[in-house]
Every structure is written in structure tokens, then in C-alpha cells.
Amino acid sequence: MAEFKKADSMLEWFDQRLGVVNFAKVMMTEYWIPKNINFLWAMGVLLSVLFTFLVVSGIFLLMYYKPDVNMAFDSVNYTIMQEVAYGWLFRHIHAVGASVVFLVIYIHMFTGIYYGSYKKGREMIWISGMLLFVLFSAEGFSGYMLPWGQMSYWAAYVITEIFGGIPVIGDELVVWIRGNFYVSDATLTRFFMLHVLLIPLLIIGAIVLHFYALRFPHVNNEAGEFFDFDEEAEKYKAGDKKGSKVVPFWPVFLSKDFFVLGFFMLFFFYLVFFHYGFAMDAINFDKADGLKTPAHIYPEWYFLWSYEVLRGFFFEIGGISGKDLGLIAFGIANAVFFFMPWLDRSPMVKPANQRPYFKYWFWFMMVDLIVLTVYGKLPPTGANAWVGFASSLTFLTLFAALPFITKAEAKKVGGK
Amino acid sequence: MKEFKILAVIVALVGITYYGIEPYAHHVMHPEVAPADFTFKDLKNVDTSLVGNVENGKVLVEANCIACHSIESVGHPQVMPNADAAASYGVVPPDLSGAGWIYDKNYLANFIYDPVSAMKLQHKFTPESGKAFPMPSYNWMSAQEIMDIVAYLQSVAPTAKSGTESHKKTFEAACGRCHSMAYAGLESTTPIDTIKTYMGATPPDLSQYIKSRGEHYLYSFINDPQVLLPGTAMPRTGLNKKAQEEVIAYMEEIGDRKKAERESLGIWVMIYTLIFAILAYLWKRKIWSEVH
């Protein structure tokens, strides 16, 4: 055992035992971030803060929530919303936070796509991020069931039903997921477990992986420039703070993030207190009733684009039923973003507006996703169904075309 | 400058999406309907310009109404307990103490003349259905006699008060015979099983209706249920504007009990966050001045 000399300060005492000085250097003061960034680089910190908000508000809700079909609705809408001191505040933060977290995830994700931050060594950052997106989706979906309102019930019914379309095992799989032949108490209890235990654990694990994945290839910058981080870090440490291309995570990078966070929180709390309806659907204030189907069933806004891809195919093509086609398209839509690093075959790491072909692809995709999202909510009747079909087809076509577009771009720019 | 441009692009994309999935989708799924009509101008059986005679109205009410209806405010008690009354009529007959003020005058007069058409329930009480509304039509009375009854009921009605207690009374008189309000501890005065048989389905508990339907919907719906839900067994109740607003106010007081707390706390949290944001901005400027 090593000799320990008597510590002169508390810091030294901890440093001897936990190496806190070095740890703080590695994690904070000598963790280098590019200087050439804009406020979009603050989304990661925004997400960390929102996730913390969700965990903390979730813990308070957990103290009063009852995962039982006979009690769930009133435990949320009466006990938490009316009886518990500030219970309504925790619920509003949780519900609005869950919705806004997806808004920031999408901004974060499309920032990554716009700046090409998923290739040339950054593949694992992208994949761990997409994994987080999928886990957050599962978390959002399972949480939406818990208040046991009409939309909780029917969204659960429709989405679990989707698994029935999987060949051979579909029917058994649906029963296995629901724990019953229909959406029932067993379904609620297991989704409660998923929402408060299993998925949060996986999310925390994936966040650690995501942060870790950033360490080696480093964070991208606004110009997509590659430079030697060690060299720039030495420059910074030697005192050439203005000349160096990097800044330390603490305090420089975080000071900018806190500023962005401050104004973002202003927007967030405005929603929490004064404009929460978009995150708490009116229909969900009717208690779940398996005998009464609501006139319109739709998922939360952040699932609308993929939901529209699912129902965009509504007629038989080439002997395959519309339902199966939709299911296949839905499966592709949910997996295809994982493959961005390989579908984009241009080696260029540049903002999309500096890439001759990719820029069209990017904005086309944004428009298509907005169309899908808007039509995902509207009733799929008449012309709406055809808009849904066209935009779903466009979505798939854009991804099918991406390798060719980027290959052509690589040729044009000569591998730069 | 460049960052503002980026922000503008994001705000535009988010704004367009928001418009599509909220106001626009709402407008498509819930088209605007005719505005609420508190004069009930479709009801024209009784000439309501006639001036009623309170004294004669009293005589008519005592001869025709109190066999079934109580008027507690002038000392006519309930004829039998709620459960028995419900078993006899299908639904507990309303106490008429407040009828003169919660119901619109034109509606009340036409209701006495022919209840089913005033309630717009002709589709339910058809000759083929074998069902009959428990209160008979008084279409054999003269318009003057009906206006005398209306004048009497208005004369005995309490003057309107404000505040939760009065909102609650209005709610109980207008809705409470069929609807429960669990979050206020109110159960429908007609027993649940009886009202289910009478209406064809259990009328919903209204605890969260201010949230699930919203004020805008309720405003049209209570005025005339058939407009938004054609074929519903819920009668048009004929509440005047003031009474309907009291009912909705009560639904909000019970269903959204923390509204005042939410709105006042919201302002403070926003101010706090704004101060944080400004301090964070100043700190950021200081820190970045060293590296730029």
C-alpha cells in the first residue's frame, strides 16, 4: 500500500484518494472543444438539463402515481394535479419536458446531419445518439400510457397492434408485449416498469456511451475543419487563448451553453405555465374506455412523421397489402437514420450549404418531414391520404437516392 | 448575426410545424359551428312579449306543477326521496326554485308549452320508440297563462350571486340531476343505474371536462348539444348566458383548481429565469472576451 502523507487541505485529502484534480482536468478544464461553433452546439447540454428535469420531476410523480387501471387516471388528474402541493408543477414539467426534449433531439440530430458530424471517425457518436433517440422514443411512448386516458389507451392499442404485422410470430408477440389479449392492467404495469426502471437505466448507459464516443474523434466545428487538438490545446495552455482553435469545456464552452440554456428555459417555462396544451392532449383527460374509440387517434407530435410513413401506404401494390407495405416502410423509417454515415458516401465534412448536391437533399428532407408530421395528424381521408402516400414515398426515395447523390458529389469535388 | 439567421430558420421550421399540428389540425378536426344562441329563437310557440301575472302564475303553478316538482324556496318540499322519484319518472324532477333565473325566459315558456321540442329530443321520444318524456306538454294553456307561470317562477327565483358557492348551486340545478362531478364529491341526484336506463348510457362524470372538452367546446355544446353531437340523448337545457357561464366557471374551479396558482407562480419563474439568462449572458461575454 502506498504511503499517504497527511493532507493539508480537504481537496488534497480527496485528491489522494480519488484523484479529483486530474479527474476535473480530464472532464472539465482540459477537455477541449472547438472554438468555431454556434449556439446549435449547446443542444447537448440542453438535453442533459432536460433529462435531469425529467428524472427529478419523474421521481416526485412516482411518489403519488398508482400503476393500476382503476386508480391511475385519478392518481394523476386528482391526487397529483389537485391534492399534492405543486404536484401540477411536476406533472407539467414532466409532460412539457417530454415533448420539448424531442424538439431539441430533432434540432440536435439535424444539426449533426447538416454539418456532417457523423462521418470520418464520428460514426459511434452518431450511432450512440440514434440509440438514445430510439430509447427516448420508447420512454415517451411508455410514459404516455401511464395517465390512462383515452389517448393513452388507444395509442397503446394501435402501436402494440403494429407488432402483429411481423410475419409468423406477430400475433403471439402482441400478446406477449401486452401481457394479455387486449391492452389491460398487465400492460399498464409492465409499461410502468419500462418507463421508470429499465428504459431510464438504458438511457443513462447510452448517455455515458454517447459522451465517451465524443472523446476520441472530438466535437465537430462549424466549418467541418480537421485539426490537431493536442497542438491547439498546447497553444491554449501556453497562453495563446486567442490564437488557439480550441477552448476548454469549463468554463469557456459551458459559459456559452448556460447563456443559451437561460433563454431556452425562458421558452420552456412559458410552455410549462401558460401553453402546455400541445403536450397534454385534451382527449387524454377522458379516462381510458376500451369500448369507446375516439374519433381521431394520433400519437404525440414527435412520432407523427413515422406514423404517417406507416399509414401512407394504404392500398395494395404488387400483391402486398397496404398494411404490410406501411409496416415495412415504418420499419425502414425507424432504422434508416442509423445508417447515415454509410449512406452518405461523400467524404466531405462541411455544412450542407457548402456541399453542391447534399444541400438539396437536406432541405428536401426537412420539407418532407414537416409535411409528414402535419399530415400525420390530419384524418387520412380524401386528398390527405394521397399527400401522405406521396410524402412517404418521397421519404423512402430520398434515402434510396442518398448514396448516389453523395457519390456524384464526391466525384464533383474530387474527394475533398 | 449569423447565429440570428440560424435561429430564424429554426423558429420558422418549428413555427410552421406547430401551426400545422396544432391550430390547423384542430381547425380541420373541429370545424367552427354556429355561435351559441341564448335567445333560442327557433322556439316560437309562445308569445313572450305578453306580460305575466305573478298572482295568477302562483295559482297555476300550485295547481299544475307541484305534484311532481318541489319549490324549496317557497316551502313546497320534495314529494318523495330522490331514488323513488327517479324510479317513478326515470329522472329526478328538478326543483323549480331557481328555474326563473337559470333558464332563458323564451326557453322556459316554450318548454312548458312542449318540453320535447324545446330540448330538441324529438329523435328520442318518437311515437315508435314507445318512450315518452315524463313531463306532459302544456300546449293546452294559453300563452298568457304560460307567461303567468314564467313570471311567477322568475319572482321566486333568488337573485344571482357570484363566487364558487353560487356557481356550484347553478351547476347542481342545471347539470347535477344526471351528471356526477367526482372531484367535487358530487354524485348525480338520480341514482347511476336509473339515469343509465333513462339516458341509454351513463352521463359522463364532468370533473375533467373543462380540460378534455375545453371552454370553447362547452360553450357551444351546453347551449345546444345537437350541434356538436347530433343524436345525443342530452337535452338542450336552455340555460341563459349568465347561468351557462357560471356552470363553466364551476367546471373550471373543480377541474383546473390550481389555475390561479399556476399563473401567478409562472410569472415569478419567468422573471427568475430571465435574470439567470441575463447573468449567464454577461458571464459568457466576459469569458469569451479572453478567447476571441
Side-chain angles (χ1 to χ4, degrees), chain A residues 1-77:
Chain A
M1 196 176 149
E3 283 275 336
F4 269 65
K5 83 172 178 58
K6 193 175 182 313
D8 289 330
S9 67
M10 193 137 84
L11 178 68
E12 196 181 344
W13 192 91
F14 277 107
D15 193 39
Q16 287 170 341
R17 286 153 184 84
L18 297 171
V20 289
V21 171
N22 245 335
F23 188 73
K25 269 190 190 171
V26 171
M27 300 306 281
M28 304 281 278
T29 54
E30 292 185 15
Y31 171 34
W32 305 102
I33 309 286
K35 190 192 285 174
N36 183 19
I37 53 175
N38 58 47
F39 76 89
L40 292 171
W41 269 254
M43 296 305 135
V45 165
L46 256 55
L47 286 170
S48 309
V49 171
L50 276 175
F51 182 63
T52 310
F53 269 45
L54 286 166
V55 170
V56 173
S57 57
I59 287 170
F60 280 95
L61 294 174
L62 196 47
M63 292 187 217
Y64 292 95
Y65 174 73
K66 302 248 191 294
D68 177 296
V69 289
N70 295 314
M71 296 192 276
F73 184 84
D74 289 335
S75 77
V76 173
N77 290 305

Coordinates of all heavy atoms in Angstrom, one line a residue, chain A residues 1-77:
Chain A
M1 N 0.8 -1.2 0.0 CA 0.0 0.0 0.0 C 0.9 1.3 0.0 O 1.9 1.3 0.7 CB -0.9 0.0 1.2 CG -2.0 1.0 1.2 SD -3.1 0.8 2.6 CE -3.7 2.4 2.7
A2 N 0.4 2.2 -0.8 CA 1.2 3.4 -0.9 C 1.3 4.2 0.4 O 0.3 4.1 1.1 CB 0.7 4.3 -2.1
E3 N 2.3 4.9 0.5 CA 2.4 5.8 1.7 C 1.5 7.0 1.5 O 1.6 7.7 0.4 CB 3.9 6.3 1.9 CG 4.8 5.3 2.4 CD 4.8 5.3 4.0 OE1 4.5 6.3 4.6 OE2 5.2 4.2 4.5
F4 N 0.7 7.4 2.5 CA -0.1 8.6 2.4 C 0.5 9.6 3.3 O 0.5 9.4 4.5 CB -1.5 8.3 2.8 CG -2.4 7.9 1.6 CD1 -2.1 6.7 0.9 CD2 -3.4 8.7 1.2 CE1 -2.8 6.4 -0.2 CE2 -4.2 8.3 0.1 CZ -3.9 7.2 -0.6
K5 N 0.9 10.8 2.8 CA 1.3 11.8 3.7 C 0.0 12.6 4.2 O -1.0 12.6 3.5 CB 2.3 12.8 3.1 CG 1.8 13.9 2.2 CD 2.9 14.8 1.8 CE 2.5 15.9 0.9 NZ 1.5 16.8 1.3
K6 N 0.1 13.2 5.3 CA -1.1 13.8 5.9 C -1.5 15.0 5.0 O -0.7 15.8 4.6 CB -0.8 14.4 7.3 CG -2.0 14.8 8.1 CD -1.6 15.2 9.5 CE -2.8 15.6 10.3 NZ -3.7 16.5 9.7
A7 N -2.8 15.0 4.6 CA -3.3 16.0 3.7 C -3.3 17.4 4.3 O -3.7 17.5 5.5 CB -4.6 15.6 3.2
D8 N -3.0 18.4 3.6 CA -3.0 19.8 4.1 C -4.4 20.4 3.9 O -4.7 21.4 4.5 CB -1.9 20.6 3.5 CG -0.5 20.2 3.9 OD1 -0.4 19.7 5.1 OD2 0.4 20.4 3.1
S9 N -5.1 19.9 3.0 CA -6.4 20.5 2.7 C -7.4 19.4 2.4 O -7.0 18.3 2.1 CB -6.3 21.5 1.6 OG -6.1 20.8 0.4
M10 N -8.7 19.8 2.4 CA -9.7 18.8 2.1 C -9.5 18.4 0.6 O -9.7 17.2 0.3 CB -11.1 19.5 2.2 CG -12.2 18.5 2.2 SD -13.4 18.8 3.5 CE -14.4 19.9 2.7
L11 N -9.2 19.3 -0.3 CA -9.0 19.0 -1.7 C -7.9 17.9 -1.8 O -8.1 17.0 -2.5 CB -8.6 20.3 -2.5 CG -8.4 20.0 -4.0 CD1 -9.6 19.6 -4.7 CD2 -7.8 21.3 -4.6
E12 N -6.8 18.2 -1.1 CA -5.7 17.2 -1.2 C -6.1 15.8 -0.6 O -5.8 14.8 -1.2 CB -4.5 17.8 -0.4 CG -3.2 17.1 -0.8 CD -2.0 17.6 0.0 OE1 -2.1 18.7 0.6 OE2 -1.0 16.9 0.1
W13 N -6.9 15.9 0.4 CA -7.4 14.6 1.0 C -8.2 13.8 0.0 O -8.0 12.6 -0.2 CB -8.3 15.0 2.2 CG -8.6 13.8 3.1 CD1 -7.9 13.3 4.2 CD2 -9.7 12.9 3.0 NE1 -8.5 12.2 4.8 CE2 -9.6 11.9 4.0 CE3 -10.8 12.8 2.1 CZ2 -10.6 10.9 4.2 CZ3 -11.7 11.7 2.3 CH2 -11.6 10.8 3.3
F14 N -9.1 14.5 -0.7 CA -9.9 13.8 -1.7 C -9.0 13.4 -2.9 O -9.1 12.4 -3.5 CB -11.0 14.7 -2.2 CG -12.2 14.5 -1.3 CD1 -12.6 15.6 -0.4 CD2 -13.0 13.4 -1.3 CE1 -13.7 15.4 0.4 CE2 -14.1 13.2 -0.5 CZ -14.4 14.3 0.4
D15 N -8.0 14.3 -3.2 CA -7.2 14.0 -4.4 C -6.3 12.8 -4.2 O -6.1 12.0 -5.1 CB -6.3 15.3 -4.7 CG -5.6 15.2 -6.0 OD1 -6.3 14.7 -7.0 OD2 -4.4 15.5 -6.2
Q16 N -5.8 12.6 -2.9 CA -5.0 11.4 -2.6 C -5.9 10.2 -2.9 O -5.3 9.2 -3.3 CB -4.6 11.5 -1.2 CG -3.5 12.5 -0.9 CD -3.3 12.7 0.6 OE1 -4.2 12.3 1.4 NE2 -2.2 13.2 1.0
R17 N -7.1 10.2 -2.5 CA -8.0 9.0 -2.6 C -8.7 8.8 -3.9 O -8.9 7.7 -4.3 CB -8.9 9.1 -1.4 CG -8.3 8.8 -0.1 CD -8.9 9.4 1.1 NE -8.2 9.2 2.3 CZ -7.2 10.0 2.7 NH1 -6.8 11.0 2.0 NH2 -6.5 9.7 3.8
L18 N -9.1 10.0 -4.5 CA -9.9 9.8 -5.8 C -9.3 10.5 -7.0 O -9.9 10.4 -8.1 CB -11.3 10.4 -5.5 CG -12.2 9.8 -4.4 CD1 -13.4 10.6 -4.1 CD2 -12.6 8.4 -4.8
G19 N -8.2 11.1 -6.8 CA -7.5 11.8 -7.9 C -8.4 12.8 -8.6 O -8.5 12.9 -9.8
V20 N -9.1 13.6 -7.7 CA -10.1 14.6 -8.2 C -9.5 15.7 -9.1 O -10.1 16.2 -10.0 CB -10.9 15.2 -7.1 CG1 -11.9 14.2 -6.5 CG2 -10.0 15.8 -6.0
V21 N -8.2 16.1 -8.8 CA -7.6 17.1 -9.6 C -7.5 16.7 -11.0 O -7.9 17.4 -12.0 CB -6.3 17.6 -9.0 CG1 -5.6 18.6 -9.9 CG2 -6.5 18.2 -7.6
N22 N -6.9 15.5 -11.2 CA -6.8 15.0 -12.6 C -8.1 14.8 -13.2 O -8.3 15.1 -14.4 CB -6.0 13.7 -12.5 CG -4.7 13.9 -13.2 OD1 -4.5 14.8 -14.1 ND2 -3.7 13.1 -12.9
F23 N -9.0 14.3 -12.4 CA -10.4 14.0 -13.0 C -11.0 15.3 -13.5 O -11.6 15.3 -14.6 CB -11.2 13.3 -11.9 CG -12.6 12.8 -12.4 CD1 -12.6 11.7 -13.1 CD2 -13.7 13.5 -12.1 CE1 -13.8 11.2 -13.6 CE2 -14.9 13.0 -12.5 CZ -15.0 11.9 -13.3
A24 N -10.9 16.3 -12.7 CA -11.5 17.6 -13.1 C -10.8 18.1 -14.4 O -11.5 18.7 -15.3 CB -11.4 18.6 -12.0
K25 N -9.5 17.9 -14.5 CA -8.8 18.3 -15.7 C -9.4 17.5 -17.0 O -9.7 18.1 -18.0 CB -7.3 18.0 -15.6 CG -6.6 19.2 -15.0 CD -5.1 18.9 -15.2 CE -4.3 19.9 -14.4 NZ -2.8 19.5 -14.3
V26 N -9.4 16.2 -16.8 CA -9.8 15.4 -17.9 C -11.3 15.7 -18.3 O -11.6 15.7 -19.5 CB -9.7 13.9 -17.6 CG1 -10.3 13.0 -18.6 CG2 -8.2 13.6 -17.4
M27 N -12.1 15.9 -17.4 CA -13.6 16.0 -17.7 C -13.9 17.5 -18.0 O -14.9 17.7 -18.7 CB -14.4 15.6 -16.5 CG -14.2 14.1 -16.1 SD -14.5 13.0 -17.5 CE -16.2 12.9 -17.5
M28 N -13.2 18.4 -17.4 CA -13.7 19.8 -17.5 C -12.7 20.8 -18.1 O -12.8 21.3 -19.2 CB -14.1 20.3 -16.1 CG -15.1 19.5 -15.4 SD -16.8 19.8 -15.9 CE -17.2 21.2 -15.0
T29 N -11.6 21.1 -17.3 CA -10.8 22.2 -17.6 C -9.8 21.9 -18.8 O -9.2 22.8 -19.4 CB -10.0 22.7 -16.4 OG1 -9.3 21.6 -15.9 CG2 -10.9 23.3 -15.4
E30 N -9.5 20.6 -19.0 CA -8.7 20.3 -20.2 C -9.4 19.3 -21.1 O -8.8 18.4 -21.7 CB -7.3 19.8 -19.7 CG -6.5 20.9 -19.1 CD -5.1 20.5 -18.7 OE1 -4.6 19.5 -19.2 OE2 -4.5 21.2 -17.9
Y31 N -10.7 19.4 -21.2 CA -11.5 18.7 -22.2 C -11.7 19.7 -23.3 O -12.4 20.7 -23.0 CB -12.8 18.2 -21.6 CG -13.7 17.6 -22.6 CD1 -13.3 16.9 -23.7 CD2 -15.1 17.7 -22.4 CE1 -14.2 16.4 -24.6 CE2 -16.0 17.2 -23.3 CZ -15.5 16.5 -24.4 OH -16.4 16.0 -25.3
W32 N -11.2 19.5 -24.4 CA -11.1 20.6 -25.5 C -12.3 20.5 -26.5 O -12.6 19.4 -27.0 CB -9.8 20.5 -26.2 CG -8.7 20.6 -25.2 CD1 -7.9 19.6 -24.7 CD2 -8.3 21.8 -24.5 NE1 -7.0 20.1 -23.8 CE2 -7.2 21.4 -23.6 CE3 -8.7 23.1 -24.5 CZ2 -6.6 22.3 -22.7 CZ3 -8.0 24.1 -23.6 CH2 -7.0 23.6 -22.8
I33 N -12.8 21.7 -26.7 CA -14.0 21.8 -27.6 C -13.5 22.8 -28.7 O -12.9 23.8 -28.3 CB -15.2 22.3 -26.9 CG1 -15.5 21.5 -25.6 CG2 -16.4 22.4 -27.8 CD1 -16.1 20.1 -25.9
P34 N -13.9 22.6 -29.9 CA -13.6 23.6 -30.9 C -14.2 25.0 -30.6 O -15.2 25.1 -30.0 CB -14.2 23.1 -32.2 CG -14.5 21.7 -32.0 CD -14.7 21.5 -30.5
K35 N -13.5 26.1 -31.0 CA -14.0 27.4 -30.7 C -15.0 27.9 -31.8 O -15.9 28.6 -31.5 CB -12.8 28.4 -30.7 CG -13.1 29.7 -30.2 CD -12.0 30.7 -30.4 CE -10.8 30.5 -29.4 NZ -9.7 31.3 -29.8
N36 N -14.8 27.4 -33.0 CA -15.6 27.8 -34.1 C -17.0 27.0 -34.1 O -17.2 26.1 -34.8 CB -14.9 27.6 -35.4 CG -15.7 28.1 -36.6 OD1 -16.6 28.9 -36.4 ND2 -15.3 27.6 -37.8
I37 N -17.8 27.5 -33.2 CA -19.1 26.8 -33.0 C -20.2 27.9 -32.9 O -19.9 29.0 -32.6 CB -19.2 25.9 -31.8 CG1 -18.8 26.7 -30.5 CG2 -18.3 24.7 -32.0 CD1 -18.9 26.0 -29.3
N38 N -21.5 27.5 -33.1 CA -22.6 28.4 -32.9 C -23.5 27.8 -31.8 O -23.2 26.8 -31.2 CB -23.3 28.7 -34.2 CG -23.9 27.5 -34.8 OD1 -24.5 26.6 -34.2 ND2 -23.6 27.3 -36.1
F39 N -24.6 28.5 -31.6 CA -25.5 28.0 -30.4 C -26.0 26.6 -30.6 O -26.5 26.0 -29.6 CB -26.6 29.0 -30.1 CG -27.7 29.0 -31.1 CD1 -28.8 28.2 -30.9 CD2 -27.7 29.8 -32.3 CE1 -29.9 28.1 -31.8 CE2 -28.8 29.7 -33.2 CZ -29.8 28.9 -32.9
L40 N -26.0 26.1 -31.8 CA -26.5 24.7 -32.0 C -25.7 23.7 -31.3 O -26.1 22.6 -31.0 CB -26.5 24.4 -33.5 CG -27.6 25.2 -34.4 CD1 -27.4 25.0 -35.8 CD2 -29.0 24.8 -33.9
W41 N -24.4 24.1 -31.0 CA -23.6 23.2 -30.2 C -23.9 23.1 -28.7 O -23.3 22.4 -28.0 CB -22.1 23.6 -30.4 CG -21.4 23.0 -31.5 CD1 -20.5 22.0 -31.4 CD2 -21.6 23.2 -32.9 NE1 -20.1 21.6 -32.7 CE2 -20.7 22.3 -33.6 CE3 -22.4 24.1 -33.7 CZ2 -20.7 22.3 -35.0 CZ3 -22.3 24.0 -35.0 CH2 -21.5 23.2 -35.7
A42 N -25.0 23.9 -28.3 CA -25.4 23.9 -26.9 C -26.5 22.8 -26.7 O -26.9 22.6 -25.6 CB -25.9 25.3 -26.5
M43 N -27.0 22.2 -27.8 CA -28.1 21.3 -27.7 C -27.8 20.1 -26.7 O -28.7 19.6 -26.0 CB -28.6 20.8 -29.0 CG -29.1 21.9 -29.9 SD -30.4 22.9 -29.2 CE -29.9 24.5 -29.6
G44 N -26.6 19.6 -26.7 CA -26.3 18.5 -25.9 C -26.4 18.9 -24.4 O -27.0 18.1 -23.6
V45 N -26.0 20.0 -24.0 CA -26.2 20.5 -22.6 C -27.6 20.7 -22.3 O -28.1 20.3 -21.3 CB -25.3 21.7 -22.4 CG1 -25.7 22.4 -21.1 CG2 -23.8 21.3 -22.3
L46 N -28.4 21.3 -23.3 CA -29.8 21.5 -23.1 C -30.5 20.1 -22.9 O -31.3 20.0 -22.0 CB -30.4 22.1 -24.4 CG -30.8 23.6 -24.3 CD1 -29.6 24.4 -23.9 CD2 -31.3 24.1 -25.7
L47 N -30.1 19.1 -23.6 CA -30.7 17.8 -23.5 C -30.3 17.2 -22.1 O -31.2 16.6 -21.5 CB -30.2 16.9 -24.6 CG -30.9 17.2 -25.9 CD1 -30.2 16.4 -27.0 CD2 -32.4 16.8 -25.9
S48 N -29.1 17.4 -21.7 CA -28.7 16.9 -20.4 C -29.6 17.5 -19.3 O -30.0 16.9 -18.3 CB -27.2 17.2 -20.1 OG -26.5 16.7 -21.1
V49 N -29.8 18.8 -19.4 CA -30.6 19.5 -18.4 C -32.0 19.1 -18.4 O -32.6 18.8 -17.4 CB -30.5 21.1 -18.6 CG1 -31.4 21.8 -17.7 CG2 -29.0 21.5 -18.3
L50 N -32.6 18.9 -19.6 CA -33.9 18.5 -19.8 C -34.1 17.1 -19.2 O -35.1 16.8 -18.6 CB -34.4 18.5 -21.2 CG -34.9 19.9 -21.8 CD1 -35.1 19.8 -23.3 CD2 -36.1 20.3 -21.0
F51 N -33.1 16.2 -19.5 CA -33.2 14.9 -19.0 C -33.2 14.9 -17.4 O -34.0 14.2 -16.8 CB -32.1 14.0 -19.5 CG -32.1 12.6 -19.0 CD1 -33.2 11.8 -19.4 CD2 -31.1 12.1 -18.2 CE1 -33.2 10.5 -18.9 CE2 -31.2 10.7 -17.8 CZ -32.2 9.9 -18.1
T52 N -32.4 15.8 -16.9 CA -32.4 15.9 -15.4 C -33.7 16.4 -14.9 O -34.2 15.8 -13.9 CB -31.3 16.9 -15.0 OG1 -30.1 16.5 -15.6 CG2 -31.1 16.9 -13.5
F53 N -34.3 17.4 -15.6 CA -35.6 17.8 -15.2 C -36.6 16.7 -15.2 O -37.5 16.5 -14.3 CB -36.1 18.9 -16.2 CG -35.7 20.3 -15.8 CD1 -34.5 20.6 -15.4 CD2 -36.7 21.3 -15.9 CE1 -34.1 21.9 -15.0 CE2 -36.3 22.6 -15.6 CZ -35.1 22.9 -15.1
L54 N -36.5 15.9 -16.3 CA -37.5 14.7 -16.4 C -37.3 13.7 -15.3 O -38.3 13.2 -14.7 CB -37.3 14.1 -17.8 CG -37.9 14.9 -18.9 CD1 -37.4 14.4 -20.3 CD2 -39.4 14.9 -18.9
V55 N -36.0 13.5 -14.9 CA -35.8 12.5 -13.9 C -36.3 13.0 -12.5 O -37.0 12.3 -11.8 CB -34.3 12.2 -13.8 CG1 -34.0 11.3 -12.5 CG2 -33.8 11.4 -15.0
V56 N -36.0 14.3 -12.2 CA -36.4 14.8 -10.9 C -37.9 14.9 -10.8 O -38.5 14.5 -9.9 CB -35.7 16.2 -10.7 CG1 -36.2 16.8 -9.4 CG2 -34.2 16.0 -10.6
S57 N -38.5 15.5 -11.9 CA -40.0 15.6 -11.8 C -40.6 14.2 -11.8 O -41.6 14.0 -11.1 CB -40.5 16.5 -13.0 OG -40.1 15.9 -14.2
G58 N -40.0 13.3 -12.5 CA -40.5 11.9 -12.5 C -40.4 11.3 -11.1 O -41.4 10.6 -10.7
I59 N -39.4 11.6 -10.4 CA -39.3 11.0 -9.1 C -40.4 11.5 -8.2 O -41.0 10.7 -7.4 CB -37.9 11.3 -8.4 CG1 -36.8 10.5 -9.1 CG2 -37.9 11.1 -6.9 CD1 -35.4 10.9 -8.8
F60 N -40.7 12.8 -8.3 CA -41.8 13.3 -7.5 C -43.2 12.7 -7.9 O -44.0 12.4 -7.0 CB -41.8 14.9 -7.6 CG -40.8 15.5 -6.7 CD1 -39.6 15.9 -7.1 CD2 -41.1 15.7 -5.3 CE1 -38.6 16.4 -6.3 CE2 -40.2 16.3 -4.5 CZ -38.9 16.7 -5.0
L61 N -43.3 12.6 -9.2 CA -44.6 12.0 -9.7 C -44.7 10.6 -9.2 O -45.8 10.1 -8.8 CB -44.7 12.0 -11.2 CG -44.7 13.4 -11.8 CD1 -44.7 13.4 -13.3 CD2 -46.0 14.1 -11.4
L62 N -43.6 9.9 -9.2 CA -43.6 8.5 -8.8 C -44.1 8.2 -7.4 O -44.6 7.2 -7.0 CB -42.1 8.0 -9.0 CG -41.8 6.5 -9.0 CD1 -42.8 5.8 -9.9 CD2 -40.4 6.3 -9.5
M63 N -43.9 9.3 -6.5 CA -44.4 9.1 -5.1 C -45.9 9.0 -5.0 O -46.4 8.6 -4.0 CB -43.8 10.3 -4.3 CG -42.3 10.3 -4.2 SD -41.8 11.6 -3.1 CE -40.3 12.2 -3.8
Y64 N -46.6 9.5 -6.0 CA -48.1 9.5 -5.9 C -48.8 8.7 -6.9 O -50.0 8.5 -6.8 CB -48.6 11.0 -5.8 CG -48.2 11.7 -4.6 CD1 -47.0 12.5 -4.6 CD2 -48.9 11.5 -3.4 CE1 -46.7 13.1 -3.4 CE2 -48.5 12.2 -2.3 CZ -47.4 13.0 -2.3 OH -47.0 13.6 -1.1
Y65 N -48.1 8.4 -8.0 CA -48.7 7.7 -9.1 C -49.1 6.3 -8.7 O -48.3 5.6 -8.0 CB -47.8 7.7 -10.4 CG -48.4 6.9 -11.5 CD1 -49.4 7.4 -12.2 CD2 -47.9 5.7 -11.8 CE1 -50.0 6.7 -13.2 CE2 -48.4 4.9 -12.8 CZ -49.5 5.4 -13.5 OH -50.0 4.7 -14.5
K66 N -50.2 5.8 -9.2 CA -50.6 4.4 -8.9 C -50.8 3.7 -10.3 O -51.7 3.9 -11.0 CB -52.0 4.4 -8.2 CG -52.0 5.2 -6.9 CD -52.1 4.3 -5.7 CE -52.4 5.1 -4.5 NZ -51.3 5.9 -4.1
P67 N -49.9 2.7 -10.5 CA -50.0 2.0 -11.8 C -51.1 0.9 -11.8 O -50.8 -0.3 -11.8 CB -48.6 1.4 -11.9 CG -48.1 1.2 -10.5 CD -48.8 2.3 -9.7
D68 N -52.3 1.3 -11.8 CA -53.4 0.3 -11.7 C -54.5 0.9 -12.5 O -54.8 2.1 -12.4 CB -53.8 0.2 -10.2 CG -55.0 -0.8 -10.1 OD1 -56.1 -0.4 -10.6 OD2 -54.9 -1.8 -9.4
V69 N -55.2 0.1 -13.4 CA -56.2 0.7 -14.3 C -57.3 1.4 -13.6 O -57.9 2.3 -14.1 CB -56.7 -0.3 -15.3 CG1 -55.7 -0.7 -16.3 CG2 -57.3 -1.5 -14.6
N70 N -57.6 1.0 -12.3 CA -58.7 1.7 -11.6 C -58.3 2.9 -10.9 O -59.1 3.7 -10.5 CB -59.3 0.7 -10.6 CG -59.9 -0.5 -11.3 OD1 -60.7 -0.3 -12.3 ND2 -59.6 -1.7 -10.8
M71 N -57.0 3.1 -10.7 CA -56.5 4.2 -9.9 C -55.6 5.2 -10.7 O -55.5 6.4 -10.3 CB -55.7 3.7 -8.7 CG -56.6 2.9 -7.7 SD -55.8 2.7 -6.2 CE -54.8 1.2 -6.6
A72 N -55.1 4.8 -11.8 CA -54.0 5.6 -12.5 C -54.6 6.9 -12.8 O -54.0 8.0 -12.5 CB -53.5 4.8 -13.7
F73 N -55.7 7.0 -13.5 CA -56.3 8.2 -14.0 C -56.5 9.3 -12.9 O -56.0 10.4 -13.0 CB -57.6 8.0 -14.8 CG -58.2 9.2 -15.4 CD1 -57.7 9.6 -16.6 CD2 -59.1 10.0 -14.8 CE1 -58.2 10.8 -17.2 CE2 -59.7 11.1 -15.3 CZ -59.2 11.5 -16.6
D74 N -57.1 8.8 -11.8 CA -57.4 9.8 -10.7 C -56.1 10.1 -9.9 O -56.0 11.2 -9.4 CB -58.5 9.2 -9.8 CG -59.8 9.2 -10.5 OD1 -60.0 10.0 -11.4 OD2 -60.7 8.4 -10.1
S75 N -55.2 9.2 -9.9 CA -54.0 9.5 -9.1 C -53.2 10.6 -9.8 O -52.5 11.4 -9.2 CB -53.1 8.2 -9.0 OG -52.4 7.9 -10.1
V76 N -53.3 10.6 -11.2 CA -52.7 11.7 -11.9 C -53.5 13.0 -11.9 O -53.0 14.0 -11.4 CB -52.4 11.3 -13.4 CG1 -51.9 12.5 -14.2 CG2 -51.4 10.2 -13.5
N77 N -54.7 12.9 -12.3 CA -55.6 14.1 -12.5 C -56.2 14.7 -11.2 O -56.5 15.8 -11.2 CB -56.7 13.8 -13.5 CG -56.0 13.6 -14.9 OD1 -55.3 14.5 -15.4 ND2 -56.3 12.5 -15.5

